[in-house]
Amino acid sequence: MIEHNFNIGPNSLPKYVQISEFLAREIASGRLVSGERLAPERQMAKNFKTSVMTLRKALSRLDDLGLLKRVHGSGNYVKQNNVDGSVYAMFRLELIGGGGLPRADILAVNLMRKPKDLIAFGLSDNATRVRRLRYLNDLVIALEEIWLDESVGIVQGKNLSDSLYNYYREHLGLWISKAEDYVSLEKVPSWSPKAFLLDRGTLTGYVERLSWGQFEYPVEYSRTWFDTSRSRYVQRMK
């Protein structure tokens, strides 16, 4: 039985969602295995630095996602299952040891003309560019640059949350339904902040993604530079 000490930085998601997402990613990574009984609820609440009521709300959400079996008088048991209902189901980076709750610091949000070097996507010549610094728990692990085609909406920085796909659904009515990832190596860009530990120009892990919404063509293109000493790209098939 694994005991979790929940220690992450600021996150815009409610605490119970943060806890359930953390546990969902622990299940997806295999650190929590099917059939494993979780610690007693009071002990878990203490480890997660929250109330028993908030902890139970988090466990109820896991139950709704099909990731938990709750047995009255016995405890809570892990169910190995698909985590597609997770807020971060499409976030493919995790800590080297597995799991980790994602969060992000926004570096810049700009509506601009698409550079010629981008992969073709969308219908417009313009797109919102979002640059972010990504964390897993309290560790900086990646740089992100996301481009959303203007034809499906304009991203407003003041309303952005840690889950960009949630923002799309709530503010733009856009549901990302499919994505294609292309993994390779690339140099850390010149706009990288000091908080990202790799020097600019250093060769590191690199993921390009094309994403589709309710349309036959991709509406989003993103590129991510990730620190391979701290994180890894994972794609699971179940």
Side-chain angles (χ1 to χ4, degrees), residues 42-208:
R42 291 190 180 278
Q43 182 61 49
M44 289 186 71
K46 180 179 179 181
N47 291 344
F48 284 115
K49 301 180 178 65
T50 193
S51 67
V52 173
M53 182 178 296
T54 298
L55 186 278
R56 286 175 178 166
K57 195 172 181 180
L59 296 179
S60 178
R61 183 170 181 269
L62 282 179
D63 190 10
D64 291 341
L65 292 175
L67 299 174
L68 200 67
K69 181 178 181 181
R70 310 186 75 180
V71 180
H72 182 71
S74 179
N76 299 295
Y77 295 83
V78 173
K79 287 173 63 179
Q80 199 74 21
N81 207 337
N82 197 312
V83 295
D84 284 347
S86 166
V87 171
Y88 297 109
M90 296 179 73
F91 188 75
R92 302 301 184 193
L93 297 180
E94 65 180 31
L95 296 172
I96 294 296
L101 181 66
R103 67 178 179 90
D105 287 342
I106 299 169
L107 303 177
V109 180
N110 304 100
L111 178 64
M112 58 197 299
R113 194 169 185 85
K114 296 175 183 175
K116 293 182 179 179
D117 67 335
L118 293 188
I119 295 175
F121 67 100
L123 301 177
S124 175
D125 291 332
N126 299 323
T128 304
R129 184 191 69 188
V130 180
R131 286 177 171 172
R132 303 197 297 182
L133 185 66
R134 298 302 309 236
Y135 298 74
L136 282 171
N137 296 345
D138 58 348
L139 292 178
V140 175
I141 54 98
L143 297 172
E144 261 187 347
E145 184 177 86
I146 306 107
W147 296 82
L148 182 69
D149 194 67
E150 186 183 28
S151 67
V152 293
I154 299 174
V155 176
Q156 303 292 336
K158 64 180 180 180
N159 295 321
L160 277 183
S161 65
D162 289 283
S163 172
L164 198 54
Y165 290 167
N166 264 10
Y167 173 90
Y168 290 167
R169 290 194 295 266
E170 293 175 4
H171 295 275
L172 304 179
L174 172 65
W175 295 77
I176 297 298
S177 58
K178 183 179 75 168
E180 290 182 359
D181 288 352
Y182 308 88
V183 184
S184 60
L185 298 174
E186 187 54 80
K187 293 180 180 178
V188 175
S190 60
W191 54 266
S192 174
K194 291 183 179 179
F196 189 61
L197 297 184
L198 300 181
D199 293 334
R200 296 169 182 173
T202 301
L203 200 63
T204 193
Y206 182 62
V207 182
E208 294 177 278

Side-chain angles (χ1 to χ4, degrees), residues 19-57:
I19 294 170
S20 62
E21 287 294 317
F22 180 87
L23 290 171
R25 287 177 62 79
E26 293 291 274
I27 293 169
S29 72
R31 286 167 59 85
L32 287 173
V33 299
S34 185
E36 180 174 352
R37 186 174 69 177
L38 299 181
E41 291 180 358
R42 291 190 180 278
Q43 182 61 49
M44 289 186 71
K46 180 179 179 181
N47 291 344
F48 284 115
K49 301 180 178 65
T50 193
S51 67
V52 173
M53 182 178 296
T54 298
L55 186 278
R56 286 175 178 166
K57 195 172 181 180

